[in-house]
Amino acid sequence: GHNYCKPCLATHYKLKILDGEVLNLTCVDPNCERRIPDKEILQLVNDEKVAKKFHKFKRNALLTMDKNVIFCCRPNCDGYYYNEKRCYHLCAKLQCNQCDTRMCWKCKQPFHGYFLGCNTNIDISYYKWALLRDIQQ
């Protein structure tokens, strides 16, 4: 082991967690490559809010590595869709596992229908937005 004070270690790992660095946390000693187990880090940090963030960030980081996962496009939703059938063009319409928002696999935006292209939907949304604000196009 190395000699570091617990409050310093707790602060170090808390900052790592709050920055979203939750995969493969290692020892603070630059000459040591020991991976610190999650349980040890959470005991050291000893903060319920930080622990919740740790679990959420870790879940999201692991899901992000899977190309068959799409996170919900709705703000403040932690849901996602897992494409277990591995179909990408035929399964264009997806549904969030938490809020039931329907989204497009290709553009990752709210579902716009099968016959309206992805960019067309974004253009229409922009024009509606711009019209309400008297913006020249």
Side-chain angles (χ1 to χ4, degrees), residues 3-125:
N3 293 323
Y4 291 96
C5 70
K6 283 188 177 183
C8 292
L9 287 173
T11 300
H12 171 79
Y13 289 117
K14 182 178 180 179
L15 291 173
K16 288 280 192 187
I17 292 168
L18 295 176
D19 284 343
E21 295 181 45
V22 293
L23 296 179
N24 301 320
L25 290 171
T26 57
C27 178
V28 295
D29 190 303
N31 298 319
C32 180
E33 294 179 17
R34 177 180 168 256
R35 186 184 174 286
I36 310 299
D38 296 350
K39 185 177 180 181
E40 191 176 325
I41 288 170
L42 294 174
Q43 284 175 341
L44 194 59
V45 171
N46 195 24
D47 182 325
E48 188 67 32
K49 286 182 182 178
V50 175
K52 282 184 180 180
K53 284 185 184 270
F54 175 85
H55 291 299
K56 178 182 176 181
F57 291 162
K58 184 153 190 176
R59 172 191 151 252
N60 289 349
L62 293 172
L63 286 172
T64 300
M65 288 189 234
D66 189 335
K67 71 174 187 166
N68 294 303
V69 171
I70 292 182
F71 288 96
C72 183
C73 58
R74 189 170 165 211
N76 301 318
C77 179
D78 290 330
Y80 62 93
Y81 173 82
Y82 183 74
N83 187 2
E84 58 192 78
K85 295 178 186 173
R86 304 214 187 322
C87 58
Y88 302 100
H89 299 290
L90 300 174
C91 302
K93 183 178 172 182
L94 313 174
Q95 188 167 339
C96 174
N97 69 340
Q98 289 191 14
C99 72
D100 295 329
T101 295
R102 288 170 176 75
M103 54 196 149
C104 173
W105 176 264
K106 188 175 179 184
C107 67
K108 318 300 190 258
Q109 296 299 315
F111 190 68
H112 43 73
Y114 291 103
F115 301 108
L116 188 62
C118 296
N119 291 339
T120 306
N121 186 46
I122 293 168
D123 291 343
I124 290 170
S125 296

